[in-house]
């Protein structure tokens, strides 16, 4: 079987792309390592930006807010396209059944940090979850084929053209190939490198980016990692920006407010981190919003606080901390969302379409996965029409099968779980809201040592059935491969911009660094350079 379009990743971006490709008449398969309803999209809470009425807000303001938040690294053409398409995206989501909250019969909107006006359309504080379930229901209705529990190993590429991908069947540990004329990578971001210091699901390990890097793609702006200001203190579970947008206060244990709660996320995160470094505790206080408002608009926030922190926000302020939340960097794509490998596309958090630049505006990630997801699907379907893929057993599949067989015989002298935990801690401390050269280079040295030791780590569980030990080992390998790209990029950028704040270079330097950091591999060696912004 050879598909027209293979979509890898079953979150909002993947499903939007699949529906669009199907509409173009393509035979589509969506493959994912989990199930669509468990994807990271379900954890997005606050809303999806769109100017639905130019009464107090304008599309121009949406464009300006996005560009201001990006700190100079967004592509103005991409920003304009996405903001102008936003009202159509909401209309489409509404038409297929997304249960948006409403006020006086119209879709309700709220203000998020960094925005000029209330423009985030929402479904209580379950916005991502409701959009994801609607897209999945609609995909089933449209007859799209799914292949769950399939872990991406590598992309099959010959003469710089993609032919498909290899997957590990999680149920059996067998390696299989899926051939396709076009492939869309929509596998999500890499914030789980920070593990317990991240709001993301356990699946956000950057598998798609690592596979793309090995296949010859370029990654860009990998150092830009957004920290969300309000994660629960104990668990790093996200508390939506909607709580601050509705008027929630950030206070310390003395009850003092210390920052404008509606500044951009990087600014608020640094202010909270500073308070914690002073020895203070930090809380999100929404008690004054009242029981009726919280139960109607923020029911999930209350539930999560009670379950994971043991605090009822109706009665007490919520203990919080900043946590890694969103990765702006990703697989470098052109204006058609195609990578440097022919017929290989990338979209969503795993890609860098230059929409968010150095710092994402709240409410724009859900917008990106719908608008650009549909765009990627349409382009991939068109590319497939002129492509031919030979139906044969590819060498990459044999190599990956031998690799998996080899992992079962690795000596397991070193516990990779201990290394994974250590990596997350030194990343949060040294590659977090603040960075400086000595700390970054120290972490890079540790990462390179982990890469050298990988073949001495291995797995304890030798069963082929649902071997999570094997999956987590491969994920760890991907994470330390990406960790090097993040660190090399962060060390190279000797300035502060957006989510990348260098204590030793606290000023923004447009003369030298109004540019994208680009990394790629040549003969297995990581290379890095800067490319000037095209605006």
């Amino acid at each position: 079987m050879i598909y027209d379009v293979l979509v890898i990743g079953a979150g909002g971006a993947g499903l939007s792309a699949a529906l669009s490709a199907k509409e173009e008449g393509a035979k589509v398969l969506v493959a994912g390592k989990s199930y669509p309803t468990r994807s990271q999209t379900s954890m997005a809470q606050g809303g999806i930006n769109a100017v639905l009425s130019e009464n107090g807000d304008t599309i121009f303001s949406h464009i300006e807010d996005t560009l201001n938040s990006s700190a100079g690294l967004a592509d103005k053409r991409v920003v304009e396209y996405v903001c102008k398409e936003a009202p159509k995206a909401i209309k489409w989501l509404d038409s297929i059944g997304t249960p948006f909250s409403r006020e006086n019969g119209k879709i309700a909107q709220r203000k998020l940090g960094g925005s000029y006006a209330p423009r985030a359309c929402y479904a209580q504080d379950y916005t991502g979850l409701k959009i994801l379930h609607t897209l999945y229901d609609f995909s089933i209705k449209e007859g799209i084929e799914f292949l769950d529990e399939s872990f991406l190993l590598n992309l099959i590429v010959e003469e710089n053209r993609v032919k498909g991908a290899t997957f590990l069947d999680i149920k059996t540990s067998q390696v299989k190939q899926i051939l396709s004329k076009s492939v869309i990578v929509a596998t999500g971001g890499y914030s789980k490198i920070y593990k317990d210091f991240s709001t993301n699901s356990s699946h956000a390990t950057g598998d798609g980016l690592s596979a793309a890097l090995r296949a010859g793609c370029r990654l860009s702006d990998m150092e830009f990692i957004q920290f969300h200001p309000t994660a629960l203190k104990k668990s790093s579970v996200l508390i939506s920006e909607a709580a601050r947008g509705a008027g929630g206060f950030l206070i310390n244990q003395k009850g003092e407010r210390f920052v404008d709660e509606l500044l951009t996320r990087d600014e608020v995160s640094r202010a909270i981190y500073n308070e914690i470094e002073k020895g203070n505790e930090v809380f999100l206080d929404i008690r004054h919003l009242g029981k009726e408002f919280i139960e109607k608009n923020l029911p999930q926030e209350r539930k999560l606080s009670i379950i994971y922190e043991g605090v009822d926000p109706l009665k007490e302020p919520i203990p919080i901390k900043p946590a890694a939340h969103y990765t702006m960097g990703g697989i470098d794509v052109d204006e058609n969302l195609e990578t440097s490998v022919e017929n290989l596309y990338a979209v969503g958090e795993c890609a860098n379409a230059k929409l968010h630049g150095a710092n994402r505006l709240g409410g724009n990630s859900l917008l990106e996965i719908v608008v650009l997801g549909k765009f990627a699907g349409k382009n991939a379907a068109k590319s497939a029409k002129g492509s031919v893929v030979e139906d044969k057993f590819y060498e990459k599949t044999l190599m990956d099968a031998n690799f998996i067989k080899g992992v079962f015989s690795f000596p397991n002298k070193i516990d990779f779980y201990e290394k994974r935990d250590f990596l997350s801690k030194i990343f949060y401390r040294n590659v977090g809201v603040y960075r400086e050269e000595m700390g970054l280079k120290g972490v890079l040295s540790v990462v390179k040592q982990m890469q050298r030791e990988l073949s001495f780590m291995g797995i304890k569980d030798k069963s082929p059935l649902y071997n999570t030990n094997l999956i987590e080992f491969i994920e760890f390998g991907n994470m330390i491969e990406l960790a090097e790209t993040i660190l090399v990029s962060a060390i190279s950028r000797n300035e502060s911009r957006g989510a990348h704040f260098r204590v030793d270079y606290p000023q923004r330097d447009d003369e030298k660094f109004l540019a994208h950091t680009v990394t790629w591999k040549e003969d297995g060696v990581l290379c890095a350079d800067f490319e000037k912004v095209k605006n």
Side-chain angles (χ1 to χ4, degrees), residues 51 190 315 338 375 414 468:
V51 177
Y190 47 92
K315 302 173 183 173
E338 191 172 18
F375 189 53
I414 301 170
T468 54

Side-chain angles (χ1 to χ4, degrees), residues 17-37:
L19 284 164
S20 178
K22 178 81 174 178
E23 193 176 312
E24 293 290 320
K27 183 169 179 56
V28 181
L29 174 69
V30 178
K33 71 176 176 180
S34 182
Y35 291 86
T37 50

Side-chain angles (χ1 to χ4, degrees), residues 67-68 70-76 221 223-224 354 357-358 492-498 507-518 529-535:
L67 291 173
N68 289 338
S70 78
L73 290 193
D75 185 324
K76 191 175 180 181
D221 297 333
E223 69 273 33
F224 293 106
K354 321 293 190 307
S492 302
R493 187 175 287 279
N494 293 326
E495 65 153 357
S496 291
R497 182 185 299 270
Q507 303 301 318
R508 175 170 155 173
D509 186 347
D510 278 355
E511 186 176 339
K512 293 181 180 174
F513 296 107
L514 189 58
H516 300 289
T517 323
V518 181
D529 202 353
F530 285 99
E531 287 186 358
K532 286 288 184 185
V533 172
K534 292 179 181 177
N535 289 335

Side-chain angles (χ1 to χ4, degrees), residues 244-514:
R244 283 178 290 128
F249 298 145
L250 291 172
I251 59 173
N252 59 25
Q253 75 275 15
K254 301 169 195 169
E256 299 167 338
R257 292 174 69 185
F258 52 89
V259 65
D260 177 351
E261 287 85 356
L262 291 181
L263 290 175
T264 55
R265 289 177 178 176
D266 58 322
E267 294 172 292
V268 179
S269 290
R270 284 196 291 273
I272 293 172
Y273 191 85
N274 291 343
E275 283 295 306
I276 294 172
E277 285 295 287
K278 290 177 192 171
N280 290 331
E281 293 182 90
V282 180
F283 302 87
L284 173 64
D285 191 355
I286 59 173
R287 290 173 293 179
H288 54 287
L289 299 180
K291 183 178 180 180
E292 183 180 351
F293 180 89
I294 292 171
E295 289 188 342
K296 179 183 177 185
N297 296 290
L298 304 170
Q300 184 178 202
E301 315 309 335
R302 184 183 179 202
K303 187 181 294 183
L304 293 172
S305 299
I306 292 171
I307 293 172
Y308 292 102
E309 206 68 28
V311 168
D312 186 346
L314 295 179
K315 302 173 183 173
E316 300 174 80
I318 310 164
I320 50 107
K321 67 181 179 187
H325 176 63
Y326 189 89
T327 47
M328 277 72 74
I331 304 166
D332 200 59
V333 293
D334 64 14
E335 65 275 13
N336 294 315
L337 305 178
E338 191 172 18
T339 72
S340 51
V341 173
E342 202 172 343
N343 281 19
L344 177 63
Y345 295 78
V347 71
E349 194 175 348
C350 71
N352 183 12
K354 321 293 190 307
L355 171 64
H356 309 303
N359 188 37
R360 178 177 65 82
L361 182 70
N364 272 358
S365 61
L366 288 176
L367 179 60
E368 176 188 23
I369 63 176
V370 177
V371 173
L372 295 187
K374 294 180 75 174
F375 189 53
K378 184 177 181 180
N379 292 340
K382 285 182 177 177
S383 295
K385 289 176 182 173
S387 280
V388 176
V389 173
E390 186 179 355
D391 191 0
K392 67 177 186 179
F393 189 77
Y394 283 81
E395 185 181 0
K396 175 61 74 177
T397 311
L398 178 62
M399 291 170 64
D400 286 346
N402 287 336
F403 169 73
I404 294 299
K405 187 178 178 182
V407 170
F408 278 92
S409 62
F410 281 2
N412 191 229
K413 293 180 179 176
I414 301 170
D415 185 348
F416 76 86
Y417 289 114
E418 288 183 7
K419 298 292 182 182
R420 187 182 65 175
D421 290 346
F422 182 60
L423 179 69
S424 70
K425 290 173 183 172
I426 59 175
F427 248 69
Y428 187 68
R429 190 69 193 171
N430 298 283
V431 202
V433 296
Y434 290 110
R435 300 143 181 211
E436 53 87 24
E437 184 170 351
M438 187 177 294
L440 292 169
K441 287 185 173 177
V443 178
L444 180 59
S445 176
V446 171
V447 167
K448 288 192 171 181
Q449 181 63 23
M450 288 180 180
Q451 290 174 343
R452 286 190 288 270
E453 293 174 343
L454 189 62
S455 60
F456 297 99
M457 296 181 188
I459 56 177
K460 289 182 180 176
D461 183 356
K462 306 297 184 182
S463 167
L465 302 178
Y466 280 106
N467 191 329
T468 54
N469 193 197
L470 172 62
I471 297 300
E472 288 163 353
F473 176 74
I474 300 170
E475 288 176 338
F476 177 67
N478 287 335
M479 286 193 285
I480 58 175
E481 188 168 31
L482 291 184
E484 184 182 5
T485 69
I486 296 165
L487 290 159
V488 167
S489 301
I491 291 168
S492 302
R493 187 175 287 279
N494 293 326
E495 65 153 357
S496 291
R497 182 185 299 270
H500 173 71
F501 194 96
R502 286 281 298 263
V503 175
D504 44 354
Y505 295 96
Q507 303 301 318
R508 175 170 155 173
D509 186 347
D510 278 355
E511 186 176 339
K512 293 181 180 174
F513 296 107
L514 189 58

